[in-house]
Amino acid sequence: MENMGDRTTLLETGRYVQRQVEDGARAESGTAGSAESAADAETEERHRRAADAGDTASMSVLGAMLLRRGDLDAAEPYLRAATSAGERAAANNLGVLLHQRGYLDEAAGWWRVAAVAGSAAAAHALGRHYRELGDEPAAEYWLRQSAEQGHALGAYALADLLEHRSDVGAERWLRAAAEQGHREAAYRLARALEDRARETAHPGADAVYRSGTGPPTSGGRRRPVTDAIPRRDSGGSGGEGTPAGPSLISEAAQWYRQAAARGHRRAALYLGAILEKRGELKEAGRWYLTSAKDGEARAACALGFLLRDAGDEESAAIWWLRAAQEGDGNAANALGALHAARGEQQTAERWYRAAMDAGDVNGAYNLGLLCAAQDRTVQAEQWYRRAAYAGHREAANALAVLLLQADDPTGAEPWFSKAAEAGSVDAAFNLGILYAGRDDDGTALRWYERAAAAGHTEAALQVGIACLRDGDERSAERHLRCAAGGGSAEAAFRLATVLDSRLPPPGPPALGEPHGVKTECEQWYERAAEQGHRRAQVRVGMLAAGRGDIADAARWYREAAEAGSRNGAFNLGLLLAREGGEREAALWWTRAAQAGHGRAALRLALLAARRGELTEGQRWCARAVELGPAEVTERAARLREALHQELTA
């Protein structure tokens, strides 16, 4: 139990602590303050003479000085004498002395005497004593007495007790203690404010973590998971549309700053996280560095990510190494990912194992990814299983994908389900694929809808397609917009076709009306086309041709044709033929006809007939009859008959 007093300078007072710091600094530089030591000795001697002469105040001060020095035997008689004379500070310090000697009940008795006389420090000590005994009502009574008198330690202890009971009044007393400079109270107040900001923005949301990778896909190679320090989802900055959130975070940052400035390393860590999220990277790095130097491994790890993002990979590795050596599994994962990216597979595996040994389940998952990338399927399955059994949802999804690739859908399904129920969006989408493959469209759609609601692009596309199939165009448009906005070229194309179907047939432009203004559907066609969607490229080419932009139309037709689109090749041929490039047009029609385009075959037949190449014309007529559609088949049959008559005439 710490020394506490009213009229004497004791251990927790600012003046004494500051003097300790100054003395330590001088000792390190080899210039210890001999003058101050002499002054202390003189002060002690003066109080000793006065105490021996019967001065009760000097008895109290001298007893406190001896107690602080650890000379309990010499301090006790002076404290008892001062206490008997009514000095409440002496009664408090006598309680401290007796508590240090193990006489707990007697110590509590003297604390009660001092507390009743108005000593806030004694009330705090008595409250802590009762809490240690498990008597929470008595503890709360005395701690409240201390806190209401403005005692910082009493306010903090009361807040701790109330927080243990989940009492909303805890924050008030944390704030009171923090305002008086209590660094742990400032830190805990900041944590409470940050938690409330998160709940305000996203009720019930859990902390999320910074990831060194994007979400894994359902079938491709995944990148290693390397999480940094805890940071709130958009609730960490309050979330959009939640005015209370940013103000709470700003206040939390102020209290973190106060605690960090007093040497609280975790406060420095979380202050750095807030500043990083705000984009104040230089200051964030400074606080991470302060925390890391004080031994906070998570700060060293976060500093490593900050340096990596700034392009200083070598410095990042140094801090990750430091954090990993202190047992930070996340830093070990980051080192593993770094070495894996360099092709140093054995070193990467060693660090992933170190992460796993540190209790980070991502280590096992990343080992699975490493083995899968090397086609070591058996080992990959073992590591995925280990991580999945430990509750790693993406490992469960990856394991299910592996089993599905091994033609074991029965074994894959429960792992997909487990991962999906744990919140894996990819697993929910994969379940949709699994049930769609079984022709269970209803169940597939439910899983697609679940994944789409969590922002999965391909799932939103599948839901949009299902809505179109069911005639629900409004819902289809909503889901297709989500998928197209997420980067799906197919969704952009289908959205464009939905919008296109609503447009009235184009008429001649009115006088003075600008020709060729792009509609929204054309903009979506273009977005899909730019992503390489062949049908969209053909459609954009047609729209450009309709505007009279022949060069743009040819460009899009050519891109589609070169990517294998037979319609693109056919339309490019038409465009070239109109512009006089019949020879090149024939080349593209040949490519289209060989790919199964009946109209291209008919065009080639007509071209051959016009050139007098009747046998060649018959051959292309036969191909056109075979390919169709019906009107092409009919025209090609008539042309073939005419060519036959010409040949036999």
Side-chain angles (χ1 to χ4, degrees), residues 215-216 423-426 428-429 447-463 478-488:
S424 170
V425 181
D426 288 316
F429 176 67
W447 284 112
Y448 285 146
E449 287 173 339
R450 182 165 174 173
H456 196 289
T457 298
E458 292 303 314
L461 170 61
Q462 294 302 321
V463 175
R478 178 167 55 86
H479 284 100
L480 290 173
R481 283 188 183 276
C482 289
S488 170

Side-chain angles (χ1 to χ4, degrees), residues 102-126:
Y103 302 128
L104 306 185
D105 292 338
E106 188 179 356
W110 289 115
W111 280 330
R112 183 182 294 275
V113 169
V116 169
S119 170
H124 165 243
L126 190 57

Side-chain angles (χ1 to χ4, degrees), residues 125 129 463 576:
H129 169 72
V463 175
L576 291 168

Side-chain angles (χ1 to χ4, degrees), residues 374-398:
Q374 298 171 349
D375 294 323
R376 293 156 57 193
T377 308
V378 174
Q379 293 93 330
E381 182 179 339
Q382 291 172 350
W383 291 118
Y384 285 150
R385 282 189 186 277
R386 181 163 179 171
Y389 278 121
H392 196 294
R393 66 190 187 191
E394 296 306 335
N397 178 58

Side-chain angles (χ1 to χ4, degrees), residues 262-595:
R262 286 177 165 81
H264 197 296
R265 68 187 192 186
R266 287 193 302 275
L269 167 69
Y270 283 96
L271 175 59
I274 290 176
L275 293 169
E276 185 183 354
K277 187 152 190 149
R278 288 178 180 171
E280 300 172 29
L281 303 184
K282 187 174 181 180
E283 191 178 0
R286 184 168 65 84
W287 286 111
Y288 284 151
L289 180 61
T290 298
S291 181
K293 285 182 175 179
D294 285 340
E296 180 60 56
R298 290 180 298 169
C301 182
L303 181 59
F305 280 106
L306 206 61
L307 290 165
R308 181 204 63 182
D309 294 344
D312 190 352
E313 200 172 80
E314 294 305 318
S315 296
I318 291 170
W319 285 105
W320 283 334
L321 178 61
R322 180 169 175 173
Q325 288 173 339
E326 292 175 7
D328 189 284
N330 187 39
N333 271 317
L335 283 170
L338 182 65
H339 287 288
R342 293 173 177 175
E344 300 165 359
Q345 306 299 329
Q346 290 184 340
T347 307
E349 185 170 338
R350 179 167 61 83
W351 282 114
Y352 287 149
R353 287 180 182 273
M356 190 174 59
D357 292 341
D360 191 330
V361 70
N362 284 326
Y365 174 58
N366 288 335
L367 279 167
L369 295 179
L370 195 67
C371 292
Q374 298 171 349
D375 294 323
R376 293 156 57 193
T377 308
V378 174
Q379 293 93 330
E381 182 179 339
Q382 291 172 350
W383 291 118
Y384 285 150
R385 282 189 186 277
R386 181 163 179 171
Y389 278 121
H392 196 294
R393 66 190 187 191
E394 296 306 335
N397 178 58
L399 174 60
V401 170
L402 210 61
L403 293 170
L404 200 60
Q405 290 171 345
D407 199 24
D408 184 9
T410 304
E413 183 178 350
W415 287 112
F416 277 140
S417 297
K418 185 175 182 178
E421 294 297 343
S424 170
V425 181
D426 288 316
F429 176 67
N430 288 337
L431 275 172
I433 295 174
L434 195 67
Y435 282 107
R438 297 173 180 174
D439 295 326
D440 187 349
D441 293 337
T443 306
L445 181 59
R446 285 196 295 274
W447 284 112
Y448 285 146
E449 287 173 339
R450 182 165 174 173
H456 196 289
T457 298
E458 292 303 314
L461 170 61
Q462 294 302 321
V463 175
I465 291 171
C467 291
L468 283 177
R469 187 172 58 241
D470 295 339
D472 186 355
E473 194 174 282
R474 186 176 298 277
S475 296
E477 181 183 344
R478 178 167 55 86
H479 284 100
L480 290 173
R481 283 188 183 276
C482 289
S488 170
E490 181 65 25
F493 174 73
R494 288 178 180 267
L495 173 61
T497 60
V498 168
L499 298 173
D500 204 356
S501 67
R502 298 174 185 168
L503 293 176
L511 187 63
E513 181 183 349
H515 187 70
V517 176
K518 294 180 181 179
T519 62
E520 185 190 4
C521 76
E522 187 169 358
Q523 292 170 4
W524 284 113
Y525 278 134
E526 285 190 357
R527 180 178 293 192
E530 287 163 357
Q531 293 175 255
H533 194 287
R534 294 183 302 182
R535 292 171 65 193
Q537 289 170 340
V538 173
R539 184 61 181 151
V540 172
M542 292 171 66
L543 291 169
R547 290 195 307 271
D549 190 345
I550 303 304
D552 201 37
R555 177 173 69 87
W556 285 115
Y557 287 151
R558 191 177 298 276
E559 281 201 28
E562 288 176 348
S565 168
R566 61 189 187 187
N567 285 331
F570 175 69
N571 287 356
L572 178 59
L574 290 178
L575 206 63
L576 291 168
R578 289 195 202 106
E579 297 297 311
E582 197 171 77
R583 185 178 297 277
E584 188 181 355
L587 295 175
W588 288 109
W589 284 334
T590 301
R591 181 181 291 192
Q594 289 172 343

